[in-house]
Amino acid sequence: MSSTLNEFMPPVDLYTLWPWFLSVAAVLGVRWLFSVPRKLQHIPRVPVIPTLLSYARGEVEDVRIKKLLLPYANRGEPAILVYSLGRWMVHILDRKIAKDLSADIITYPKEVPPDGLLLWRFVGYENIILSDGETWKRHSRVVKTALNRNVPVGEFAALAKKLFSQMGEGGTTAIGHNFDAIADGNSPFVRQYNHVMESIASPPYLVAPMLEKIFPRVKTIKAIDDLVASFQTILAHKKENPGNDMLTYMMEDKEMTDVEYRDNIVVFFIAGHDTTAGAMSSLCYYMAKRPEVQKRAREEVRRAMSKNPTGEPTIAELGKMPYLQACICEFLRVNTPITYMVPRAAMKDAVLVGANGRKVLIPQGSSIIINITSIHYKEEYWPNAHEFNPERFMGISKGQETEYDTTQWLPFALGSRMCPARNFAMYEQRVLASMLLNEWEWTISSDSPHMDGIENGFSPFALSLPKDLYLNFTPLARK
Ligand code: HEM
């Protein structure tokens, strides 16, 4: 009797194979989803799985950058691919390339954001942040004119006083939240704003923006639309009641449409509120952790203001506080408020050369992000980069040389699109910090979750804002 192969094989029920087919399809689908486009394959990349795990664990941008990108920066890589916002993006880790890119706003304009991102539904598209070319020039002119009218030191001092009145007799204070006082933290409007920002910042949606289409977040969309309508109401109110403030100055430009005004007001609110709250919280944190720094800064402030009974510093007095200025520069480095910049699009192929001579081809169509945190933590320029050390910046306010290459400091970005409010923001920090130092002393509890390092909250646009930071404030007799 002859036997055939079929006699040795058990009969196969195709139906039982469906889990196998499904697994193969899933693997192929995932590979397709995360495959690196051919034109980018020459650039080293941060592996996808640790990146996704980092999002799944809810790690914030600065933690992810220090863990996953910084090793490449310290190895001298000028650029690296990172999977985020549903695609592979080129992160720039080298200050020289960052400068060259920022200098050429024609070849590297802002990228048009992927459809459906809720952050941009909120911020809008017709504003200084997202526009380019002639439209950007118009927005920029209006914004700069409004910002450069004067440095409102008196208004900053009034904000500080408002903050102090909220702090009452002192005690334990959630400091990040308290800086909401700057934008009236108790108002339903600021609460509505904080709620919207928290809702937008959902890790799965940041990794895969396509989810916005598959599982639209109806409640968040409604909250955003309500908030945008509130901004519209502020605009209408301001038109009826002009004041001596930036919004009124902006509205003096008759070329802007109502939508452009509204979108720029949203930008100003985010830029002015979150960056200031984050920056001041970081300053308080580092000074609480380093009481000797706090003491030295307070002595300097009190010396500079010794003949001033008002408790509100003048511009001349602020000029006599170089150590405070150095502290501000150092916390803007070590917990930079904006960890990376808004993506740019490459309009043509270009080979860019890093400070160490290493070259990288950035192909046309790439999404590019200048990664500020990586540059601020490069050991080559910032030895013991994790340490808060204001000495790095001593002398720069007088234009003196320091042993550090402070051109590697870019919290306000670079080039013609750098922050137009940098002068304004630095004065704001200096006034608030000097008044705080003059009137309060503060410490951090040994059981604080921030004891081993500052912990920022999750943010929809790469912002470092310390989360639930409680500090103990004690009022001092004013000198
Ligand atoms: C410590 C405080 C601040 C920091 C660290 C900071 C940082 C930055 C950075 C890094 C950018 C570049 C963003 C990019 O192109 O991707 C930027 C742009 C901008 N910032 Fe600031 N900022 C601060 C405060 C402010 C304040 C208080 C305002 C307004 C009142 C403001 C208004 C703007 C505007 C309008 C732009 C867009 C400029 C343009 O695209 O031409 N910023 N800021």
Side-chain angles (χ1 to χ4, degrees), residues 147-166:
L147 278 164
N148 293 340
R149 276 289 179 89
N150 55 17
V151 181
V153 171
E155 277 173 40
F156 298 149
L159 289 173
K161 286 192 168 156
K162 192 167 164 189
L163 170 65
F164 297 170
S165 72
Q166 291 207 351

Side-chain angles (χ1 to χ4, degrees), residues 6-156:
N6 283 348
E7 288 173 46
F8 295 100
M9 287 180 67
V12 175
D13 178 356
L14 275 183
Y15 187 72
T16 60
L17 289 181
W18 73 264
W20 186 85
F21 282 124
L22 210 64
S23 315
V24 171
V27 169
L28 291 178
V30 169
R31 280 191 65 158
W32 169 79
L33 202 62
F34 297 116
S35 63
V36 180
R38 189 182 294 270
K39 64 180 183 183
L40 291 175
Q41 284 178 358
H42 60 284
I43 304 177
R45 60 178 176 270
V46 175
V48 148
I49 295 195
T51 310
L52 296 181
L53 285 176
S54 167
Y55 275 106
R57 281 195 288 264
E59 284 175 350
V60 297
E61 284 302 342
D62 66 303
V63 172
R64 193 167 25 260
I65 291 170
K66 286 171 206 159
K67 220 187 247 180
L68 299 179
L69 278 76
L70 194 55
Y72 294 90
N74 279 333
R75 230 179 281 158
E77 291 293 350
I80 183 96
L81 294 181
V82 183
Y83 190 86
S84 59
L85 294 174
R87 61 210 195 278
W88 287 97
M89 306 182 88
V90 182
H91 279 242
I92 302 298
L93 311 175
D94 178 280
R95 189 258 177 195
K96 181 180 169 299
I97 295 186
K99 184 168 174 264
D100 293 346
L101 282 171
S102 305
D104 186 352
I105 58 175
I106 307 286
T107 310
Y108 303 103
K110 297 273 170 105
E111 186 186 63
V112 179
D115 239 11
L117 276 192
L118 290 193
L119 176 64
W120 300 113
R121 185 184 184 103
F122 171 40
V123 180
Y125 296 83
E126 298 190 34
N127 52 40
I128 180 168
I129 280 278
L130 275 194
S131 56
D132 276 299
E134 289 305 315
T135 315
W136 169 73
K137 280 190 191 154
R138 186 161 54 81
H139 287 280
S140 177
R141 179 171 41 76
V142 174
V143 165
K144 283 183 181 155
T145 312
L147 278 164
N148 293 340
R149 276 289 179 89
N150 55 17
V151 181
V153 171
E155 277 173 40
F156 298 149

Side-chain angles (χ1 to χ4, degrees), residues 311-431:
E312 296 177 17
T314 61
I315 291 189
E317 286 162 354
L318 291 173
K320 293 181 194 153
M321 302 175 192
Y323 187 65
L324 179 60
Q325 166 96 344
C327 291
I328 293 174
C329 292
E330 176 63 346
F331 82 74
L332 285 173
R333 179 194 70 82
V334 82
N335 198 35
T336 195
I338 296 181
T339 52
Y340 56 68
M341 287 159 64
V342 177
R344 268 60 175 175
M347 302 312 278
K348 60 176 192 205
D349 288 356
V351 175
L352 296 168
V353 187
N356 56 7
R358 282 172 74 167
K359 294 181 183 161
V360 59
L361 165 67
I362 310 270
Q364 181 179 12
S366 311
S367 304
I368 307 167
I369 280 185
I370 295 177
N371 193 300
I372 300 178
T373 300
S374 290
I375 297 173
H376 279 181
Y377 271 78
K378 265 185 160 175
E379 280 291 328
E380 183 187 356
Y381 300 107
W382 309 105
N384 300 318
H386 289 77
E387 191 189 306
F388 176 76
N389 175 11
E391 294 302 326
R392 301 180 207 267
F393 292 94
M394 278 306 277
I396 59 151
S397 53
K398 286 191 186 146
Q400 291 164 358
E401 292 273 308
T402 81
E403 59 182 298
Y404 299 94
D405 179 358
T406 49
T407 60
Q408 302 286 333
W409 181 79
L410 37 130
F412 296 106
L414 294 156
S416 50
R417 297 207 66 162
M418 78 190 295
C419 180
R422 57 198 179 278
N423 196 30
F424 177 97
M426 284 304 277
Y427 268 109
E428 191 175 28
Q429 310 289 315
R430 289 160 78 191
V431 172

